[in-house]
Amino acid sequence: MKNTAKNILINTVIYSALAFLIIILQVLIFWFMFGEGTESGRIADLWYVNLILEYLPLVIILSVLSFGTFKRYKNKELNKVKANLVTIFILIIIYLLRYQIIDLIG
């Protein structure tokens, strides 16, 4: 039981940090591509750009975790499968509440 909790905690911390780094990378890539000014502001206001910037990190992290979960399920490593599923659930909650968490911290 302790090993599963340890795996959940480690996975949550690692994948949360990875999602944060992906968010920073996206902002930098967007800034380098479009720069500053009215044209970049107009592009940033498009609905699909907002969707990509908001949810692409979550989709990337969840796809990596889902692939690992499926692979471990095929290998009958059920403790790690359970840890990955709980990690996915925790990351979704943290990601959806990220602005409220940032407001609490800052």
Side-chain angles (χ1 to χ4, degrees):
M1 187 68 177
K2 289 184 180 181
N3 195 18
T4 304
K6 181 179 168 184
N7 286 340
I8 292 170
L9 181 65
I10 290 172
N11 285 346
T12 304
V13 170
I14 288 173
Y15 288 115
S16 296
L18 189 60
F20 180 71
L21 290 175
I22 291 172
I23 290 170
I24 291 173
L25 185 66
Q26 276 186 323
V27 170
L28 288 175
I29 289 172
F30 183 83
W31 185 72
F32 283 129
M33 285 176 57
F34 300 111
E36 298 174 10
T38 57
E39 188 65 26
S40 65
R42 190 179 63 78
I43 292 171
D45 289 337
L46 297 173
W47 67 271
Y48 55 87
V49 173
N50 192 20
L51 185 69
I52 290 170
L53 290 176
E54 289 289 323
Y55 293 105
L56 185 64
L58 182 64
V59 169
I60 291 171
I61 298 299
L62 290 181
S63 63
V64 168
L65 272 171
S66 298
F67 176 74
T69 303
F70 181 70
K71 182 178 162 187
R72 289 185 172 138
Y73 182 74
K74 282 179 61 176
N75 293 338
K76 306 290 188 214
E77 299 175 24
L78 297 180
N79 282 340
K80 292 183 180 179
V81 168
K82 185 171 41 171
N84 280 354
L85 290 175
V86 172
T87 302
I88 288 171
F89 181 70
I90 291 171
L91 283 176
I92 289 173
I93 291 173
I94 289 173
Y95 198 81
L96 292 177
L97 298 175
R98 68 189 179 278
Y99 293 122
Q100 287 82 5
I101 293 170
I102 290 171
D103 286 343
L104 285 175
I105 294 172

